[in-house]
Amino acid sequence: MELSQRARLRAGDRHALGELFDAHAQDVYAYALRTLGDRAAAEDVVSMTFLEVWGLRAKLREGDEALRPWVFGVATNVLRNTARAARRHRAALERLGEREPEEDFAEELVARLDAGAELAAVRRALPALRRAEREVFRLCVWVGLDYVSAAEALGIPVGTVRSRLSRARTRLRSLVEKDLMERREPAAVPGQVGESGFRAARSMQGELR
């Protein structure tokens, strides 16, 4: 009987790791780039994610479930650590009295790839959400995980995913409408902007592949 990819990875099969990388590395890169807005940092996240995947293989549960949710759970933890490191770096620069580095050109590149003003407004609004809500939004909307897979990735109940995503949508809808009206975008029509923004966010899935 042929072993599942999960079983082969648990057993230390490097070919299974290679298959996993081929299947998900580009999606992890897109997830990291959309989160960080920096190509080099996103590439580092991909490398660190699959190093962690290999290091954590023995902790995988037995079974035949798809590994995609687990991989994105690892990637989310790597992104958390990356964000903490960036905050420490900025704090150190401030203590040294140095000015903040100029915005990376990749931010402008990602913005050009975004599907219109609504999506750009969504990206601007995301930092206003709690981290837990941002992670659920990114996994469900940007990565396209369903509730069950997102729950597995984050190690939380499915009901918690639903409630966090609901709060994120409500908050983002309000923030996006406010942002677009302030910028006097034609699309800033109450009751319409939020949904168009989410459609634009979903359309982003695959643009960077």
Side-chain angles (χ1 to χ4, degrees):
M1 180 178 178
E2 186 177 352
L3 294 176
S4 68
Q5 186 181 56
R6 179 183 289 258
R8 289 188 293 119
L9 186 64
R10 277 171 48 87
D13 185 339
R14 292 183 179 273
H15 291 295
L17 177 65
E19 293 168 3
L20 201 64
F21 182 90
D22 291 342
H24 303 297
Q26 192 61 39
D27 288 342
V28 171
Y29 173 76
Y31 174 41
L33 180 57
R34 292 163 188 167
T35 301
L36 301 174
D38 183 295
R39 287 180 176 270
E43 290 171 357
D44 289 343
V45 167
V46 174
S47 299
M48 289 186 286
T49 293
F50 285 94
L51 282 172
E52 284 289 296
V53 162
W54 183 249
L56 295 171
R57 65 189 186 279
K59 296 183 179 180
L60 269 174
R61 301 190 308 272
E62 294 183 5
D64 296 320
E65 299 90 350
L67 290 170
R68 182 178 173 84
W70 180 65
V71 169
F72 276 94
V74 174
T76 298
N77 283 330
V78 169
L79 282 166
R80 288 173 185 167
N81 294 334
T82 300
R84 282 195 290 267
R87 286 196 296 271
R88 288 196 297 269
H89 178 66
R90 286 194 296 269
L93 289 178
E94 290 172 359
R95 287 195 298 272
L96 290 172
E98 297 180 16
R99 67 182 178 88
E100 287 289 317
E102 294 182 4
E103 186 176 23
D104 194 277
F105 77 94
E107 270 294 337
E108 180 183 351
L109 174 64
V110 174
R112 288 201 302 270
L113 290 171
D114 288 349
E118 293 89 352
L119 182 55
V122 170
R123 295 184 72 251
R124 288 191 294 270
L126 273 175
L129 272 59
R130 294 179 178 177
R131 187 187 73 182
E133 293 167 355
R134 291 197 303 269
E135 289 174 350
V136 166
F137 178 86
R138 286 166 177 157
L139 288 173
C140 291
V141 178
W142 283 356
V143 177
L145 296 187
D146 58 29
Y147 293 149
V148 174
S149 297
E152 181 181 343
L154 297 171
I156 59 178
V158 174
T160 302
V161 171
R162 291 179 184 273
S163 61
R164 286 180 184 176
L165 184 58
S166 177
R167 288 196 298 271
R169 286 181 181 277
T170 300
R171 180 67 174 143
L172 280 175
R173 196 168 285 121
S174 173
L175 291 170
V176 167
E177 287 181 359
K178 180 180 178 181
D179 180 278
L180 291 180
M181 284 189 290
E182 288 176 350
R183 292 168 185 269
R184 297 184 180 178
E185 292 287 345
V189 179
Q192 296 180 3
V193 171
E195 292 303 325
S196 61
F198 293 124
R199 287 197 296 272
R202 286 194 179 278
S203 74
M204 199 174 169
Q205 185 178 356
E207 280 185 352
L208 303 181
R209 298 179 187 175

